[in-house]
Amino acid sequence: MLRYLTAGESHGQALVVIVEGLPAGLPITVEEIQEEMGRRRLGYGRGPRQRFEADEITLVGGVRHGRTLGSPIAIEIKNSEWFRSDKWHAEMSPAPGVTKDPLTKPRPGHADLAGMQKYGFTDARDVLERASARETAARVAAGALAKKLLGTIGIEILSHVVQMGPARSKSAQLPTMADLGAIDESPVRCFDKSAEDAMIEEIKAAAKDGDSLGGIVEVLAYGVPVGLGSHVHWDRKLDALLAQAVMSIQAVKGVEIGDGFDVAGMRGSVAHDAISWDAATGTYRRETTLAGGTEGGITTGEVMVVRAAMKPLATLNIPTLGTVDIITKEATVSFKERTDVTAVPAMGVVAETMVALVLAAEAQRKFGGDTVDEFVRNAVAYNESLR
Ligand code: EPS
């Protein structure tokens, strides 16, 4: 089964990810992974860090002559900031020592205070370096491998921003894979051109006030076969696995499958995707996407729809949120740390990654295979058996 582990701190030397369980023979190049890394850096509203983080990867193990060996794949992503100056060398050194500048005014909404209490730290940096969304770079490298595997059985994934702060897209049209290039070219990764300007204006206004913005992204997975996940047990339900994976993205506070929250307010007679038989393809179809492509925790074969709501970043360029200095216990405002105004466009790419990693793991659970050929053969035979 596909599994992966990331390590590394935001201002340390590097992030690393080890991906284990991919079949042998999957074609993959550094350039393909690098392209996904580049997509995560897209988006208006990012802070100064994105201007110099190159997210350059080194494929350390598990790939030979452009294809996977079936062994664990190790990828390193150097933090450019570490190598461009010695600014963080003493602060993040693994050698014994103490910081000269402990952060004692935790930011509300960040992991700072709860993390310090739980792990017995008096410097928020001991928590925030790992809590930082910089870690998502390592996830995206793993996600590039998962997407490559999914591509061999025709599964493709995209995301787009549907809400930025209060500015929301009113379009119900779902973009297809052919639209992904245009979405990535949009400064806010928005498919709905009529909403794009309002989103940019919201970011400009928040930036002017030293404030931050959250928003909502929608992830769509096309070509997902019937039958991933299962109704038989809580931890095998595909929608539950997706919710956990997407909720784990830094600052995500809500996950919706299909029209989850709207459906709750409808009558049962209009809240479900009617089933029809398509004689031409020999498949059952559902014309609507209310269920988001899963019923009973099992994929239906329709497009999967997963939305993720990100809270406004807890770090503000002009800190105003009230907190307490953990040494003096006096009321104050949280410490100032360089930050983005919003990371919602990038979060969409990370959400694609998390959906890809779940679908790849579940596809492997269903189709198995030590080689990609075996995996594909099993998937094709299964799909044929349904017709
Ligand atoms: C982040 C804060 C910012 C972001 C960072 C996530 O970093 P810094 O504190 O170094 O300015 O730029 O995101 C990335 C570095 C990245 O590659 O996505 C945070 O606190 O989560």
Side-chain angles (χ1 to χ4, degrees), residues 10-11 40 46 49-50 81 110 132-134 337-338 340:
S10 179
H11 300 106
R40 195 194 66 97
R46 299 304 302 271
R49 179 92 186 260
Q50 294 311 305
E81 184 151 38
H110 225 287
S132 165
R134 172 83 190 130
E337 178 97 346
R338 181 184 60 189
D340 307 319

Short mmCIF file of all heavy atoms in Angstrom, two decimals, residues 10-11 40 46 49-50 81 110 132-134 337-338 340, ligand 1:
data_model
loop_
_atom_site.label_atom_id
_atom_site.label_comp_id
_atom_site.label_asym_id
_atom_site.label_seq_id
_atom_site.Cartn_x
_atom_site.Cartn_y
_atom_site.Cartn_z
N SER A 10 10.50 24.58 8.15
CA SER A 10 10.36 25.61 7.12
C SER A 10 11.67 26.36 6.85
O SER A 10 12.00 26.65 5.71
CB SER A 10 9.26 26.61 7.53
OG SER A 10 9.14 27.62 6.58
N HIS A 11 12.40 26.71 7.93
CA HIS A 11 13.63 27.46 7.74
C HIS A 11 14.87 26.62 8.01
O HIS A 11 15.96 27.14 8.24
CB HIS A 11 13.63 28.73 8.61
CG HIS A 11 12.48 29.64 8.28
ND1 HIS A 11 11.38 29.77 9.10
CD2 HIS A 11 12.25 30.41 7.21
CE1 HIS A 11 10.51 30.61 8.53
NE2 HIS A 11 11.02 31.01 7.39
N ARG A 40 2.55 24.68 -7.34
CA ARG A 40 2.24 25.03 -5.94
C ARG A 40 2.69 26.45 -5.60
O ARG A 40 2.21 27.06 -4.66
CB ARG A 40 2.92 24.02 -5.00
CG ARG A 40 2.41 24.05 -3.57
CD ARG A 40 3.34 23.30 -2.64
NE ARG A 40 4.62 23.97 -2.55
CZ ARG A 40 4.98 24.81 -1.59
NH1 ARG A 40 4.16 25.06 -0.60
NH2 ARG A 40 6.15 25.41 -1.61
N ARG A 46 1.00 35.77 -2.44
CA ARG A 46 2.04 35.12 -1.64
C ARG A 46 3.04 36.17 -1.15
O ARG A 46 3.18 37.25 -1.72
CB ARG A 46 2.79 34.05 -2.46
CG ARG A 46 1.95 32.91 -2.98
CD ARG A 46 1.18 32.16 -1.93
NE ARG A 46 2.01 31.57 -0.87
CZ ARG A 46 2.54 30.36 -0.91
NH1 ARG A 46 2.38 29.61 -1.96
NH2 ARG A 46 3.24 29.90 0.12
N ARG A 49 8.79 35.22 0.49
CA ARG A 49 9.50 33.93 0.46
C ARG A 49 9.38 33.24 -0.90
O ARG A 49 10.32 32.60 -1.39
CB ARG A 49 8.92 33.03 1.57
CG ARG A 49 9.53 31.64 1.67
CD ARG A 49 10.67 31.57 2.64
NE ARG A 49 11.34 30.28 2.65
CZ ARG A 49 11.15 29.33 3.55
NH1 ARG A 49 10.32 29.53 4.54
NH2 ARG A 49 11.83 28.19 3.48
N GLN A 50 8.19 33.35 -1.51
CA GLN A 50 7.97 32.65 -2.78
C GLN A 50 8.79 33.21 -3.93
O GLN A 50 8.93 32.59 -4.97
CB GLN A 50 6.47 32.65 -3.14
CG GLN A 50 5.63 31.85 -2.19
CD GLN A 50 6.20 30.46 -1.94
OE1 GLN A 50 6.44 29.71 -2.87
NE2 GLN A 50 6.45 30.14 -0.68
N GLU A 81 16.23 29.44 1.04
CA GLU A 81 16.56 30.47 2.01
C GLU A 81 17.79 30.08 2.86
O GLU A 81 18.59 30.94 3.24
CB GLU A 81 15.36 30.75 2.92
CG GLU A 81 15.65 31.88 3.89
CD GLU A 81 14.42 32.66 4.31
OE1 GLU A 81 13.38 32.03 4.49
OE2 GLU A 81 14.52 33.89 4.46
N HIS A 110 -2.84 29.78 15.16
CA HIS A 110 -1.71 28.96 14.71
C HIS A 110 -1.49 27.85 15.73
O HIS A 110 -2.09 27.86 16.80
CB HIS A 110 -0.46 29.83 14.58
CG HIS A 110 0.30 29.56 13.30
ND1 HIS A 110 1.03 28.41 13.11
CD2 HIS A 110 0.46 30.29 12.17
CE1 HIS A 110 1.59 28.45 11.90
NE2 HIS A 110 1.26 29.58 11.30
N SER A 132 4.36 25.02 9.82
CA SER A 132 4.31 25.85 8.61
C SER A 132 3.86 25.06 7.38
O SER A 132 4.22 23.90 7.20
CB SER A 132 5.70 26.43 8.34
OG SER A 132 5.77 26.93 7.02
N ALA A 133 3.11 25.74 6.51
CA ALA A 133 2.65 25.13 5.27
C ALA A 133 3.78 24.94 4.26
O ALA A 133 3.56 24.41 3.18
CB ALA A 133 1.54 25.96 4.66
N ARG A 134 4.98 25.35 4.61
CA ARG A 134 6.13 25.02 3.76
C ARG A 134 6.20 23.49 3.55
O ARG A 134 6.63 23.02 2.51
CB ARG A 134 7.40 25.52 4.45
CG ARG A 134 8.70 25.09 3.80
CD ARG A 134 9.06 25.98 2.63
NE ARG A 134 10.16 25.45 1.85
CZ ARG A 134 10.15 25.31 0.53
NH1 ARG A 134 9.11 25.70 -0.17
NH2 ARG A 134 11.17 24.82 -0.11
N GLU A 337 5.80 38.04 12.02
CA GLU A 337 6.57 37.08 11.23
C GLU A 337 6.20 37.34 9.78
O GLU A 337 5.03 37.60 9.47
CB GLU A 337 6.17 35.65 11.67
CG GLU A 337 6.83 34.53 10.94
CD GLU A 337 8.06 33.96 11.65
OE1 GLU A 337 8.58 34.60 12.59
OE2 GLU A 337 8.52 32.89 11.24
N ARG A 338 7.19 37.29 8.90
CA ARG A 338 6.92 37.48 7.48
C ARG A 338 5.83 36.49 7.04
O ARG A 338 5.82 35.35 7.47
CB ARG A 338 8.23 37.18 6.74
CG ARG A 338 8.20 37.34 5.26
CD ARG A 338 9.53 36.92 4.67
NE ARG A 338 9.82 35.52 4.98
CZ ARG A 338 10.97 34.93 4.75
NH1 ARG A 338 11.97 35.60 4.22
NH2 ARG A 338 11.16 33.66 5.04
N ASP A 340 2.38 35.42 3.98
CA ASP A 340 1.58 35.64 2.77
C ASP A 340 0.31 36.39 3.17
O ASP A 340 -0.11 36.35 4.33
CB ASP A 340 1.14 34.30 2.17
CG ASP A 340 2.30 33.32 1.93
OD1 ASP A 340 3.35 33.78 1.46
OD2 ASP A 340 2.13 32.12 2.19
C1 EPS B 1 4.24 29.99 6.01
C2 EPS B 1 4.80 31.24 6.06
C3 EPS B 1 5.61 31.78 4.94
C4 EPS B 1 5.19 31.10 3.66
C5 EPS B 1 5.35 29.61 3.87
C6 EPS B 1 4.29 29.14 4.81
O1 EPS B 1 6.96 31.46 5.10
P1 EPS B 1 7.99 32.44 5.78
O2 EPS B 1 7.59 32.47 7.23
O3 EPS B 1 9.34 31.80 5.57
O4 EPS B 1 7.89 33.75 5.09
O5 EPS B 1 5.97 31.58 2.59
O6 EPS B 1 5.20 28.93 2.69
C7 EPS B 1 6.30 28.48 2.05
C8 EPS B 1 7.55 28.79 2.40
C9 EPS B 1 6.01 27.62 0.93
O7 EPS B 1 6.93 27.18 0.24
O8 EPS B 1 4.81 27.38 0.70
C10 EPS B 1 3.52 29.43 7.18
O9 EPS B 1 3.69 29.95 8.29
O10 EPS B 1 2.75 28.47 7.02
#
